[in-house]
Amino acid sequence: MLEKTTRMNYLYDFYQELLTGKQRDYMSLYYLDDFSLGEIAEQFSVSRQAVYDNIKRTETILEQYEEKLHLYEKFQKRRQLLNNLAERLKGKMTDEDQLCSLQIVKELNELD
């Protein structure tokens, strides 16, 4: 479940601008703010089933966007490459060079 939640949070981050306002609201409350279906339903004056259906449809939409655009996949690959680079840089440079290189890797990671 945690893996799915993490994946949905990343997909939401990458593709939220492609969602409707209601989809963004429900996904944000459910995945980011950890609201229950009942709490979201109460807030929007709809049934729990309506919230559940909307969230499931939105999850499917996010997966379809990822299938076509691969932004999350590319993000994961960049992070792995940067982590590999950081590991390779350790021990092969002066302390000052290591700090500089690791700072660059850190800044690159923060761009994602």
Side-chain angles (χ1 to χ4, degrees):
M1 180 65 179
L2 181 60
E3 187 175 310
K4 178 184 178 184
T5 299
T6 301
R7 179 176 176 79
M8 281 299 129
N9 282 327
Y10 274 113
L11 293 181
Y12 177 77
D13 283 346
F14 286 119
Y15 303 116
Q16 67 180 301
E17 293 302 317
L18 301 173
L19 301 175
T20 67
K22 184 187 286 187
Q23 289 169 328
R24 282 194 302 269
D25 290 342
Y26 286 10
M27 292 296 283
S28 177
L29 289 172
Y30 188 72
Y31 280 107
L32 301 177
D33 298 331
D34 202 29
F35 277 38
S36 70
L37 296 175
E39 291 169 323
I40 298 169
E42 186 177 317
Q43 186 167 338
F44 288 92
S45 300
V46 297
S47 69
R48 288 179 74 243
Q49 187 64 45
V51 173
Y52 176 82
D53 291 344
N54 185 294
I55 288 172
K56 289 300 166 192
R57 274 193 310 275
T58 304
E59 289 173 352
T60 299
I61 289 167
L62 291 173
E63 290 292 356
Q64 289 171 346
Y65 288 146
E66 176 60 16
E67 194 175 296
K68 292 176 181 150
L69 300 171
H70 307 285
L71 296 180
Y72 179 53
E73 179 185 337
K74 291 174 185 175
F75 165 77
Q76 287 181 304
K77 286 180 182 176
R78 276 193 311 276
R79 276 180 73 183
Q80 185 60 48
L81 288 169
L82 288 170
N83 289 337
N84 290 347
L85 177 61
E87 285 301 314
R88 292 184 67 125
L89 291 174
K90 289 180 184 176
K92 295 188 178 191
M93 303 176 166
T94 66
D95 289 343
E96 186 178 331
D97 288 340
Q98 281 184 15
L99 286 174
C100 182
S101 298
L102 292 173
Q103 181 62 34
I104 291 169
V105 169
K106 181 181 177 220
E107 289 175 20
L108 288 169
N109 269 324
E110 289 172 356
L111 291 176
D112 293 326

